[in-house]
């Protein structure tokens, strides 16, 4: 049994099972307006990049969905459907509404810490938003799961890490207005673990002033 | 005639892995030779029948190795010490079947392709020595893949006839060598702190290029 979960511009998500386990099929499709050969290559590249990063992040101690099967003919990843999680965005909305900022502050610190692990491993996510982080309840705390690595790259550049944080800041503050304090917690968590926190922070301030533009040139 | 037994693991979370045998099958299995086999239902390859068995304290390893070399065994035989769980098997078989279907197999047969797919890299001879039978093997997992029920039961019966093993009563899952598994798959302690060994190993083999 396979059912459609969501349909976007670049892909579809289906729910199915793998050896009886809940499984999410993430299919990327081709964009009709792009050149077919180029498009095939791009779609394939994003698929393989996503797979590599899902696995590499685990080695760095970041929880990501388990991958069961990669179908490179249909550009589909079959992964663990983590139904016990809540999207970070929804979690924030819900807890802000209930006035539970203490829980949020801890979680945000944890999200920042997790991004530091990612950057310490010289991976930049490329699309850090509060929709691409899942929140998983553990016994005494909340852990975060990173997803959606289609735009991730290997990079040790301070510039790239700064842009990663800048993108998150923009997305976070526009989705969750009046939450500068929470974003500060994310940065605090980041600085608690990132090897190059000082330079990345000053890069972030620099990017805030000029916008992310420059990175688009290269 | 074999007196071997198999073990199979039932964990609450893994319960759905197993096709529950019919009463008739149970009588047949226990009545005839007590061999328990377990079906792996691969949703992405519904046309294939996949079954595994566990044989412990196998006494005729060298004979089996010879039979394998001369192509007289049509199932996969693995050393139990490198296999973490039924899911581990399923992910490898599923990947191998994908290669077969798309004509992208790196080896000559589906059985060797399965062994290669279990491996963390693409070195065929290394995967055969690590995961296949060797002189030091004593517990063996068999995997049979077939297109029809008849062909499957033929393969299974053939294994039961050829493998000389002990009857084992406990069914507490696969007896794998965890340090060997960490080493071969390069599992870091960081990753074990966030998820199970099973999920780590499975992700590695499913995403390898
Ligand atoms: N493994 C998973 N378990 C539970 N929910 C998931 C999982 N993967 C994705 N989701 C949910 O589906 C949504 C979309 O998934 P994802 O971000 O991977 O796709 P996408 O945004 O369409 O991808 P892309 O940006 O690469 O086109 C997520 O925001 C999350 O709500
Ligand atoms: Mg997304």
């Amino acid at each position: 049994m396979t059912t459609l979960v969501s349909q976007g511009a670049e892909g579809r998500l289906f729910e199915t099972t793998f050896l009886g386990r809940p499984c999410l099929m993430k299919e990327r499709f081709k964009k009709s307006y792009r050149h077919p050969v180029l498009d095939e290559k791009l779609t394939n590249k994003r698929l393989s990049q996503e797979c590599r990063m899902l696995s590499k992040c685990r080695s760095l101690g970041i929880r990501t969905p388990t991958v069961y099967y990669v179908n490179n003919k249909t550009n589909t990843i079959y992964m663990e459907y983590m139904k016990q999680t809540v999207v970070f965005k929804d979690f924030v909305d819900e807890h802000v509404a209930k006035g539970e900022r203490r829980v949020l502050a801890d979680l945000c610190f944890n999200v920042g810490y997790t991004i530091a692990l990612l950057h310490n491993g010289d991976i930049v996510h490329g699309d850090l938003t509060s929709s691409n982080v899942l929140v998983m309840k553990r016994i005494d705390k909340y852990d975060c799961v990173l997803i959606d690595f289609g735009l991730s790259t290997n990079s040790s550049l301070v510039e790239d890490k700064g842009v990663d944080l800048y993108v998150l800041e923009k997305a976070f503050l526009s989705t969750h207005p009046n939450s500068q304090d929470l974003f500060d917690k994310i940065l605090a968590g980041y600085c608690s673990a990132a090897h190059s926190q000082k330079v990345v922070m000053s890069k972030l301030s620099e990017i805030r002033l000029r916008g992310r533009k420059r990175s688009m040139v290269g | 005639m074999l007196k071997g037994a198999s073990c199979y693991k039932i964990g609450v979370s893994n319960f759905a892995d197993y096709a529950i045998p019919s009463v008739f099958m149970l009588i047949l299995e226990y009545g005839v030779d007590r061999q328990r086999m377990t079906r792996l239902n691969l949703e992405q390859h519904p046309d294939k029948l996949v079954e595994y068995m566990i044989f412990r304290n196998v006494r005729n390893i060298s004979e089996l190795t010879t039979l394998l070399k001369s192509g007289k065994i049509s199932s996969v035989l693995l050393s139990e010490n490198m296999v973490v769980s039924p899911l581990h098997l399923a992910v490898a078989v599923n990947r191998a079947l994908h290669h077969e279907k798309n004509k992208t197999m790196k080896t000559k047969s589906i059985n060797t392709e399965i062994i290669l797919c279990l491996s963390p890299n693409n070195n065929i001879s290394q995967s055969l020595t690590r995961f296949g039978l060797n002189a030091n093997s004593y517990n063996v997992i068999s995997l049979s893949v077939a297109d029809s029920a008849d062909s499957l039961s033929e393969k299974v019966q053939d294994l039961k006839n050829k493998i000389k093993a002990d009857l084992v009563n406990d069914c507490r899952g696969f007896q794998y060598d965890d340090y060997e598994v960490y080493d071969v798959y390069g599992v870091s302690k960081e990753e074990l702190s966030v998820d199970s060994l099973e999920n780590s190993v499975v992700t590695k083999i499913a995403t390898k290029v």
Side-chain angles (χ1 to χ4, degrees), chain A residues 45-156:
Chain A
K45 184 161 182 259
R46 288 186 66 175
L47 180 88
S48 60
Q49 198 67 351
E50 177 149 30
C51 292
R52 183 170 333 148
M53 294 309 181
L54 282 167
S55 181
K56 197 174 169 198
C57 281
R58 272 176 177 269
S59 319
L60 298 171
I62 300 167
R63 179 71 159 91
T64 55
T66 308
V67 180
Y68 299 130
Y69 173 37
V70 181
N71 187 331
N72 51 8
K73 286 287 172 296
T74 58
N75 288 306
T76 307
I77 302 180
Y78 293 67
M79 64 181 124
E80 174 188 12
Y81 196 174
M82 304 185 74
K83 295 191 165 185
Q84 73 281 35
T85 62
V86 181
V87 182
F88 183 39
K89 175 180 180 300
D90 298 341
F91 191 94
V92 173
D93 286 341
E94 192 190 317
H95 286 75
V96 164
K98 286 197 258 172
E100 292 167 341
R101 291 186 94 84
R102 179 76 245 154
V103 175
L104 279 180
D106 288 348
L107 173 64
C108 286
F109 189 92
N110 198 344
V111 169
Y113 176 86
T114 307
I115 298 169
L117 295 183
L118 188 77
H119 286 183
N120 287 348
D122 287 337
I123 299 176
V124 290
H125 185 281
D127 190 18
L128 274 181
T129 63
S130 51
S131 299
N132 289 336
V133 177
L134 306 179
V135 180
M136 183 168 68
K137 191 168 172 36
R138 288 262 210 145
I139 305 147
D140 53 344
K141 59 174 178 132
Y142 292 99
D143 268 356
C144 51
V145 176
L146 296 189
I147 59 166
D148 205 358
F149 288 90
L151 295 175
S152 302
T153 45
N154 283 104
S155 171
S156 53

Side-chain angles (χ1 to χ4, degrees), chain B residues 8 12 19 124 176:
Chain B
Y8 70 113
V12 181
I124 298 170
Y176 60 87

